[in-house]
Every structure is written in C-alpha cells, then in structure tokens.
Amino acid sequence: MRCPYCRHPDSRVVDSREAEDGQIIRRRRACQACTRRFTTVEEAVLAVVKRSGVTEPFSREKIIAGVRKACQGRPVDDDAIALLAQRVEETVRARGAAEIPSHEVGLAILGPLRELDEVAYLRFASVYRSFESLEDFEREIQALRAAKQNEDGGGDPAHNGRVGTAKS
Ligand SMILES: [Zn+2]
C-alpha cells in the first residue's frame, strides 16, 4: 500500500480495529519515509458471478445506479435508494458466501424495490426477468395485485376483479 502523501511503498501498521461487526478491519498506518499516517480498510471481497461466468466485486454503487435508472421520474429520493442498496448488500452478505450469482443479487433487489415503488419495480423486473410481451407485464401486475391484497389482510372478494378467483 503506497503512502498517499509521498507514494513511498512501505508503511507500518500502528493500530488495527474491527468495525461493522468484524466485517471490516481498519488499519492505521505510518509511512516509513515521511512518517505521516493514513488509514486503510480491509474487507473480504464478495464476488458476483455473472451469467457468462465472469466474476466482479460486489458494488453497492452499481445497485444504486440500476435502481436509480428504474426510478427515473418516480417520487423516490436518493436516500431511499441508498437505503435499499444497503439492505440488498446486507441480504447478500448475510449468506456468508464468498461468491453470489448475479441473479440472486437481482432477486434481493426486487423485494425492497416493490415496497419502494411499484412502477420502478415493474421496470426493473421487466429488464431483470427479460419480459418479452405484454402478457409478461400482465402476469407480473396480477402478481403484484395479489400480493397487495394478501398484505391488506385477504381483501374483499368483490374486488378480486375479472379474474374471478373469489371463493365462497
Ligand atoms: Zn509517505
């Protein structure tokens, strides 16, 4: 690790401490040349495995960028998106695996995004699940309605619409 002040390649660790429940380690270092101090953060790399088999480090920024795109023109602020990305990161890290398939990252986004904004959710789902037809959207919207009704406590059968799923 080069000294950020003088670019000297050697530094000495003067202090280490764990942060965020042991997920990361911060080290205080002193440059061997200019003696100035700086901090480094060490964190296990969570690799995302893409469909092609290529891996890349998990990036919260990437999630934020993807979700922000889906939220364009929607009443969703940046704080909510940042919070969502944090939740997604916690979900995927909680598995404790060193590698995670990219589709599982996508799945971890869908749940909280649905709570945040249904239109953004549909946009994201249409890309993520590669919707190809109106029927795909219709199916997803029906699933959204059904889920909403369940959350509302079963709902009123009279409002189940033309699908006619009401039971007596
Ligand atoms: Zn230095």
Side-chain angles (χ1 to χ4, degrees), residues 8 34 37 69 83 166:
H8 187 74
C34 73
R37 295 188 170 198
K69 201 186 257 178
L83 206 65

Short mmCIF file of all heavy atoms in Angstrom, two decimals, residues 8 34 37 69 83 166:
data_model
loop_
_atom_site.label_atom_id
_atom_site.label_comp_id
_atom_site.label_asym_id
_atom_site.label_seq_id
_atom_site.Cartn_x
_atom_site.Cartn_y
_atom_site.Cartn_z
N HIS A 8 5.55 6.53 -1.12
CA HIS A 8 6.50 5.52 -0.66
C HIS A 8 5.80 4.18 -0.52
O HIS A 8 4.67 4.12 -0.02
CB HIS A 8 7.10 5.97 0.69
CG HIS A 8 8.20 5.08 1.18
ND1 HIS A 8 9.45 5.10 0.63
CD2 HIS A 8 8.22 4.15 2.15
CE1 HIS A 8 10.21 4.21 1.24
NE2 HIS A 8 9.49 3.63 2.18
N CYS A 34 7.91 9.37 5.07
CA CYS A 34 7.54 10.72 5.52
C CYS A 34 6.90 10.72 6.91
O CYS A 34 6.60 11.78 7.44
CB CYS A 34 6.60 11.39 4.50
SG CYS A 34 4.93 10.72 4.51
N ARG A 37 0.60 9.64 8.72
CA ARG A 37 -0.29 8.50 8.99
C ARG A 37 -1.51 8.51 8.09
O ARG A 37 -2.00 9.57 7.72
CB ARG A 37 -0.72 8.53 10.46
CG ARG A 37 0.46 8.30 11.36
CD ARG A 37 0.06 8.13 12.80
NE ARG A 37 1.23 7.68 13.53
CZ ARG A 37 1.20 7.12 14.72
NH1 ARG A 37 0.03 6.95 15.33
NH2 ARG A 37 2.30 6.72 15.32
N LYS A 69 -31.99 4.15 -12.18
CA LYS A 69 -32.48 4.15 -13.56
C LYS A 69 -33.95 3.70 -13.58
O LYS A 69 -34.78 4.29 -14.26
CB LYS A 69 -31.62 3.17 -14.38
CG LYS A 69 -31.67 3.44 -15.86
CD LYS A 69 -30.92 2.37 -16.61
CE LYS A 69 -29.55 2.83 -17.07
NZ LYS A 69 -28.81 1.74 -17.74
N LEU A 83 -30.60 3.52 0.90
CA LEU A 83 -31.03 2.61 1.96
C LEU A 83 -31.36 1.24 1.39
O LEU A 83 -31.01 0.21 1.96
CB LEU A 83 -32.26 3.21 2.65
CG LEU A 83 -32.49 2.78 4.10
CD1 LEU A 83 -31.36 3.28 4.99
CD2 LEU A 83 -33.83 3.32 4.60
N ALA A 166 -62.44 -15.39 -6.63
CA ALA A 166 -63.13 -15.35 -5.34
C ALA A 166 -63.68 -16.71 -4.96
O ALA A 166 -64.25 -17.42 -5.79
CB ALA A 166 -64.27 -14.33 -5.41
#
